[in-house]
Amino acid sequence: MKRVLSVASESVPLLKTGGLADVVGALPGALAAVGWQMRVLMPAYRALRPLIAGWAEVFAEEDLFGGPGRVYAGEVAGVAMLLLDAPHLYDREGGPYNAAGGDWPDNAQRFAALSWIGARIAREGLADGWRPQVLHAHDWQAGFAPAYLAFGGARVVGTVITIHNIAFQGWAEAGLLRQLRLPAHEFHPGSLEYYGGLSSLKAALVTADKITTVSPSYAAELMRPEFGMGLEGVIVARAADVQGILNGVDETVWSPEVEPRPYSARRMKGKAASRAVLCAEFGLEVPGPLAIVVSRMTDQKGIDLLPEVLPEFIRGGGGLVMLGSGDPALEAAMLALVARFPGRVAVRIGYDEALSHRMFAGGDAVLVPSRFEPCGLTQMYGLRYGTVPVVAAVGGLADTVIHANPAALAADVATGLTFQPTDAPAFAEALRRLLALHRDPALWARVQKHAMAQPVGWQTSAAAYAKLYESVLRA
């Protein structure tokens, strides 16, 4: 099998703060089916250090940005992992990127170290004889890896950078250039310089062989100022090397057939039972569609629109269960809706994986009003579970949901509802359509059935990644 090293800051099942971890954890299994062996390199954060006790040391560096670093190889839930143990960088209380007081002040060095080790492994191989033919970097945390390879002499492996969310760019002060082991002569607008400083994501965009994003629509959006967030010019310059490849979901984990009250497109009784259990759990009585939201509470996700549009939806018979956390003001606004509409709205602050499964199994619709969404997995879970997606027509949301307009309904292909622009009037109209659709049981059942028939797994995407890797292989 051909070999690829995936460099990322998080991966399921070890650590997850967002969809990045789902993708990184799912790719190895998906790629194995198409002839590629992938190992995932990520930091050994404090909670992960006990894992390495029984693992083999396969790489070492004595001076890794202020202390020694060791790489240990092992397997977790079928994923071949390489954990970078550098206690001076990763053995800390708090999250992978921040503590209670904010971002770690040395994040530039912490993730430059991850990139540096990834580049060295790509160039030199591991003690067990494994050496990749392709390095696949994910987001800003691994962005310097392609740069270190490009500036380190002969390009011995192909390189790919995937942008999961361009809003996070890995900015650092220009004065760190030498400390981050980057060549001074590359500090200019055509290379490393970024608005007077450094951006690890930009470094990858100008040095990697290929650039991918997590949906075709997001790839196109990133070339426009309103989505590119300052990097649109760099991406336009590399347009011939940019490709959008949709994420997939793990269909063995996200499957209505394996939930406590299983169901399928042919036998939907389990969904009705799941709905009843979910309503009972939160003390809800909802005569119309029960919508769910599983999301970070941020303006990017359009959560600020919910307090404005939900009252009309609730008066029309709808209800809502929300799971998430984020902006304290948005949390407070959503909790105020609970007080205003008892028995129709429930909100759980935080994240609970098991509850999210119960919500997708029991919900009638899932709301995703994002202002931008590189790919989105939530709407895919909705499709898989027959929980009809109501989404803003941006990024991967637009690529995965077929709007139930008259033509799509007549052709019997509709899978959900989309709206644009991402504002309250358009969102409110989509919710009116949702209420009307739900009032027609036969039509509702057809949309659910077509939603559940949509391919949301990794097969197509894995084949696309394999073809991309082949295109960057060195002779």
Side-chain angles (χ1 to χ4, degrees), residues 81-105:
M81 301 297 307
L82 299 169
L83 289 182
L84 170 58
D85 186 38
H88 61 292
L89 298 173
Y90 310 122
D91 186 10
R92 305 176 181 183
E93 282 292 338
Y97 316 120
N98 52 47
D103 289 349
W104 297 112

Side-chain angles (χ1 to χ4, degrees), residues 62 73 99 173 279 362 390 398 421:
E62 296 308 318
E173 295 180 0
C279 285
V390 180

Side-chain angles (χ1 to χ4, degrees), residues 46-82:
R46 175 170 291 182
L48 304 183
R49 294 194 75 210
L51 279 176
I52 64 180
W55 291 11
E57 181 181 318
V58 291
F59 200 85
E61 174 149 339
E62 296 308 318
D63 181 17
L64 184 62
F65 296 89
R70 301 282 186 272
V71 177
Y72 296 87
E75 187 173 299
V76 180
V79 179
M81 301 297 307
L82 299 169

Side-chain angles (χ1 to χ4, degrees), residues 39 72 110 118 198 259 346 372:
R39 287 186 171 186
Y72 296 87
R110 296 174 73 234
L198 298 166
E259 296 297 339
F372 66 92

Side-chain angles (χ1 to χ4, degrees), residues 149-467:
L149 282 170
F151 302 145
R155 291 183 177 234
V156 292
V157 301
T159 55
V160 175
I161 176 68
T162 293
I163 306 167
H164 295 265
N165 190 337
I166 205 166
F168 304 101
Q169 302 180 352
W171 193 88
E173 295 180 0
L176 293 176
L177 187 74
R178 185 179 299 276
Q179 187 182 143
L180 296 178
R181 304 178 183 176
L182 296 164
H185 67 269
E186 292 291 343
F187 188 72
H188 58 83
S191 187
L192 294 175
E193 189 271 333
Y194 185 60
Y195 295 98
L198 298 166
S199 160
S200 55
L201 183 58
K202 185 194 175 187
L205 296 178
V206 299
T207 57
D209 293 320
K210 296 290 183 180
I211 299 165
T212 74
T213 69
V214 290
S215 72
S217 287
Y218 193 55
E221 289 170 351
L222 291 183
M223 300 186 194
R224 293 157 47 191
E226 61 267 37
F227 291 100
M229 298 190 177
L231 286 168
E232 61 275 4
V234 180
I235 296 170
V236 168
R238 296 291 312 275
D241 298 313
V242 176
Q243 181 177 352
I245 301 176
L246 271 171
N247 287 336
V249 303
D250 187 336
E251 294 179 292
T252 64
V253 174
W254 291 96
S255 169
E257 290 93 342
V258 300
E259 296 297 339
R261 285 154 291 278
Y263 64 93
S264 67
R266 290 186 176 183
R267 295 180 59 85
M268 293 289 284
K269 287 184 179 180
K271 187 163 185 63
S274 297
R275 185 189 194 276
V277 169
L278 184 64
C279 285
E281 179 177 353
F282 287 97
L284 301 180
E285 292 186 12
V286 181
L290 176 63
I292 66 167
V293 175
V294 181
S295 175
R296 286 184 290 113
M297 293 193 189
T298 66
D299 287 351
Q300 181 223 315
K301 297 293 185 179
I303 303 304
D304 57 302
L305 301 176
L306 289 172
E308 186 172 351
V309 302
L310 280 176
E312 180 187 346
F313 175 66
I314 293 165
R315 287 193 292 268
L320 177 78
V321 179
M322 180 169 191
L323 172 64
S325 62
D327 185 331
L330 294 178
E331 291 181 0
M334 293 307 302
L335 290 171
L337 285 173
V338 177
R340 184 178 173 188
F341 299 105
R344 297 291 285 276
V345 177
V347 174
R348 180 75 58 83
I349 302 298
Y351 186 71
D352 181 329
E353 189 85 359
L355 174 57
S356 70
H357 276 258
R358 296 197 298 277
M359 290 169 65
F360 279 102
D364 295 311
V366 56
L367 312 182
V368 194
S370 301
R371 289 184 167 84
F372 66 92
E373 193 64 68
C375 178
L377 298 178
T378 305
Q379 83 281 8
M380 294 189 188
Y381 301 149
L383 292 168
R384 185 87 169 96
Y385 280 73
T387 305
V388 174
V390 180
V391 306
V394 295
L397 304 176
D399 289 335
T400 52
V401 178
I402 301 172
H403 178 53
N405 59 30
L409 290 170
D412 220 17
V413 295
T415 63
L417 294 160
T418 69
F419 64 91
Q420 60 179 345
T422 306
D423 62 17
F427 191 11
E429 176 59 23
L431 293 178
R432 291 183 202 111
R433 289 173 179 261
L434 174 64
L435 289 165
L437 188 64
H438 191 261
R439 285 193 290 266
D440 186 331
L443 193 57
W444 179 263
R446 293 215 310 272
V447 173
Q448 282 186 307
K449 180 179 179 181
H450 290 302
M452 296 176 78
Q454 291 301 297
V456 295
W458 274 103
Q459 295 87 343
T460 300
S461 299
Y465 274 116
K467 185 176 180 180

